[in-house]
Amino acid sequence: MLDSKLLRTQLQDVADRLATRGYQLDVARIEALEAQRKTVQTRTEQLQAERNARSKSIGQAKQRGEDIAPLLADVDRMASELDAGKQELEGIQAELDQLMLTLPNLPHESVPVGKDEDENVEVRRWGTPKSFDFPVQDHVALGEQHGWLDFETAAKLSGARFALMRGPIARLHRALAQFMIDLHTREHGYEEAYTPYLVQAPALQGTGQLPKFEEDLFKITREGEADFYLIPTAEVSLTNIVADEILDAKQLPLKFVAHTPCFRSEAGASGRDTRGMIRQHQFDKVEMVQIVEPGQSFEALESLTANAEKVLQLLELPYRVLALCTGDMGFGATKTYDLEVWVPSQDKYREISSCSNCGDFQARRMQARYRNPETGKPELVHTLNGSGLAVGRTLVAVLENYQQADGSVRVPEVLKPYMAGIEVIG
C-alpha cells in the first residue's frame, strides 16, 4: 500500500498521479476522515491529560480530608468518554486503512502517461517473424490433429477454459517448464522453490490481490477455519516468504523462482480468447521474484526483464518489449515491462510475460523489511516479479512458430535434450 504520510502531506499530488492511472481518488472523503481523526485524537489526548490531573487531585483532596466522591464520579465519566473516543478513533482509522488497501501504486516518473494499452511504448524487438509458404494453422488445430490437445474432454471434466494435454504435447509442455527453471537457476542466480498452491487471505492482501480482486480468485470456504484461495500466480507465495521479516542486508538480493499451476476465474474476460490456451482458468507459469534494497530495484527490473527475454531468445521466438503506460499497469506496480511473443495465426504479438517493480508497495502491506547497515534501523524492502515465462502461452508460440506444411511441429533446438530424442511432433 501507499505510505499514509503521503496522503497526509501530499494528498493532491497523490491524487494527480493516481489520475494518470485512471483512478479517481476521493480527496474530499480522505480530507474529511483526516480532519475527523485529528479532532477526535486531540480531544482524546486532552481528556486523557485532564483525567490524569484529576486522578492526581483525588489523592491530594483525600489527604486534606475532603469529599472525593464528586472527583471520582468525574474521573469515571472521563474514563467512559475516553473509551468512546478511542473506539471512534479506531473506527476512523479502520476506514482509512481499508481505503488505503484499495489504492493502486503510484507510477514511477519514467512510466509513459497514457489511458490504455494503445498508449504503451515499444522499447525494442528481437527476431523477425517467419514467413510461411503454406496456410498457417493455429495451436488448436495443430494440437488436435492427433488428439494431443483436447478441449472437448477437458470441458467434460471441468467446463470451459481448460485444456487436456496428452502424449508429445504434454511432454513438450513439461520440457518448457523444466528448461525455464534450469535456465533461471543455473545461469540467472535464482533459488528454486516449491510453494503451496493454497494460501490464506493475508498472503493475497500482502501482494495486492485482496481485497480489490477477490472476484478473480478461486476460494475454498472451510467451516470453522480460515478460507483457502488457489494461487493466481506463484508471486503470492514467493513474495510472502519475507512477510513480517526483518532481513539482514547481507541476505539481499533474494531471487526465487518456482514452477506452479495458476488459477484465475477470468471474471472480467467474458468473450475474450475463448478458443485455445491463451486465457484459461488453470495454467502453468514459471515465476521469478526478487527482494532487493530500495536503491537497487530499477536496476533489478532491467535484469529480471532480461532473464525473461533470454527464454524467448534461446527458443528463437520473435518478441517485443513494451513499457506499459500509467493506464495499463497492474495494481501493485510502479513500473512494468510486458514481453509479447509473435503468434503467427493471429498475425500479432501477444503478452507472454509481465515484469514489474512494485517498489515498497507490497512490502508495506506485508511488513517485509531489512536492517539498513548505515542506520541500523529496519526499512522496507522493494519487491519485483515477472513471468519467466507463462508455460502454456510459450507452448502456443512454439507450436505455431515451429509448424510445418504437413501440420507437424519441429522441436526447438534448446528443448531437444528434454524431449528424449524427439525432434518432430506429429
Side-chain angles (χ1 to χ4, degrees):
M1 65 177 71
L2 301 181
D3 188 345
S4 59
K5 292 178 183 176
L6 286 176
L7 268 71
R8 290 197 293 269
T9 61
Q10 302 175 42
L11 180 57
Q12 191 55 53
D13 179 59
V14 170
D16 291 343
R17 292 173 68 184
L18 289 179
T20 68
R21 299 191 57 143
Y23 185 92
Q24 297 304 311
L25 184 62
D26 192 344
V27 172
R29 181 58 184 155
I30 294 175
E31 287 178 333
L33 285 170
E34 271 298 320
Q36 189 180 359
R37 184 187 65 80
K38 288 177 182 178
T39 298
V40 175
Q41 186 170 339
T42 300
R43 187 174 73 238
T44 302
E45 289 171 353
Q46 289 172 346
L47 196 59
Q48 183 67 60
E50 277 184 56
R51 183 170 180 261
N52 292 342
R54 196 61 54 89
S55 296
K56 187 176 180 180
S57 68
I58 289 174
Q60 294 170 343
K62 195 172 183 180
Q63 287 178 349
R64 293 192 297 268
E66 298 173 0
D67 181 9
I68 61 170
L71 293 175
L72 288 171
D74 213 18
V75 168
D76 287 343
R77 176 187 59 79
M78 289 180 180
S80 297
E81 290 182 13
L82 267 175
D83 286 342
K86 288 177 181 177
Q87 288 180 13
E88 186 179 359
L89 200 58
E90 287 174 0
I92 296 168
Q93 192 59 55
E95 187 171 348
L96 280 168
D97 290 345
Q98 194 61 30
L99 188 150
M100 292 292 290
L101 287 173
T102 67
L103 302 185
N105 203 353
L106 296 178
H108 187 257
E109 59 186 13
S110 64
V111 174
V113 175
K115 293 180 181 179
D116 53 35
E117 61 184 15
D118 293 331
E119 298 186 68
N120 293 336
V121 176
E122 186 173 312
V123 177
R124 56 185 172 271
R125 293 191 181 198
W126 187 94
T128 303
K130 179 182 176 182
S131 296
F132 294 88
D133 57 5
F134 55 85
V136 170
Q137 298 188 72
D138 69 7
H139 68 282
V140 177
L142 291 165
E144 286 183 337
Q145 61 184 333
H146 297 292
W148 294 333
L149 188 55
D150 186 347
F151 295 97
E152 186 175 334
T153 302
K156 179 179 70 174
L157 297 171
S158 307
R161 294 192 187 274
F162 289 92
L164 171 65
M165 289 178 278
R166 299 169 59 179
I169 282 183
R171 183 165 197 151
L172 183 59
H173 183 266
R174 174 165 56 89
L176 282 165
Q178 190 172 342
F179 156 65
M180 293 174 194
I181 286 286
D182 286 348
L183 175 67
H184 296 317
T185 55
R186 294 172 182 175
E187 298 187 23
H188 298 155
Y190 290 82
E191 176 187 350
E192 184 175 0
Y194 175 83
T195 75
Y197 302 160
L198 293 167
V199 295
Q200 296 180 3
L204 289 152
Q205 180 175 296
T207 45
Q209 284 80 13
L210 287 179
K212 189 173 178 61
F213 301 106
E214 183 157 10
E215 67 173 5
D216 294 325
L217 303 170
F218 285 107
K219 181 178 180 179
I220 300 172
T221 301
R222 302 188 297 164
E223 187 175 350
E225 295 187 70
D227 295 334
F228 275 144
Y229 293 84
L230 287 162
I231 58 170
T233 163
E235 169 201 340
V236 176
S237 39
L238 290 174
T239 309
N240 274 279
I241 289 173
V242 298
D244 299 314
E245 298 285 337
I246 300 178
L247 305 167
D248 190 306
K250 293 178 182 177
Q251 294 175 261
L252 302 178
L254 289 172
K255 300 170 69 175
F256 300 121
V257 65
H259 166 218
T260 69
C262 306
F263 305 90
R264 298 183 187 176
S265 73
E266 296 293 351
S270 178
R272 295 175 60 193
D273 295 309
T274 54
R275 178 177 169 83
M277 297 180 65
I278 295 293
R279 196 176 299 276
Q280 297 200 295
H281 290 313
Q282 176 186 318
F283 59 96
D284 278 36
K285 195 148 65 92
V286 170
E287 184 75 3
M288 303 176 292
V289 163
Q290 293 194 26
I291 314 294
V292 304
E293 293 185 38
Q296 303 298 317
S297 64
F298 284 97
E299 180 181 340
L301 176 61
E302 301 299 326
S303 171
L304 183 139
T305 305
N307 296 157
E309 288 183 69
K310 189 66 175 179
V311 178
L312 292 170
Q313 291 169 7
L314 290 174
L315 289 169
E316 300 182 68
L317 294 172
Y319 69 90
R320 65 176 183 171
V321 180
L322 301 177
L324 297 195
C325 70
T326 52
D328 196 37
M329 285 199 307
F331 179 77
T334 187
K335 184 172 184 177
T336 298
Y337 292 117
D338 266 10
L339 273 59
E340 295 186 343
V341 69
W342 181 254
V343 179
S345 67
Q346 298 183 18
D347 196 33
K348 65 180 180 180
Y349 293 95
R350 294 299 304 265
E351 180 193 338
I352 197 167
S353 174
S354 193
C355 300
S356 298
N357 180 4
C358 296
D360 61 13
F361 185 83
Q362 293 178 327
R364 183 172 288 105
R365 298 167 80 103
M366 297 186 301
Q367 280 303 289
R369 295 166 290 173
Y370 80 109
R371 195 169 298 281
N372 187 319
E374 296 182 5
T375 65
K377 296 180 179 179
E379 295 182 13
L380 295 170
V381 296
H382 280 197
T383 63
L384 303 97
N385 63 79
S387 304
L389 303 165
V391 183
R393 291 193 180 194
T394 309
L395 178 64
V396 168
V398 167
L399 291 175
E400 295 201 11
N401 281 279
Y402 280 86
Q403 65 180 291
Q404 302 185 109
D406 62 357
S408 62
V409 177
R410 290 185 298 110
V411 173
E413 194 67 33
V414 75
L415 294 182
K416 288 180 180 178
Y418 297 91
M419 292 292 290
I422 299 175
E423 296 193 1
V424 177
I425 292 174

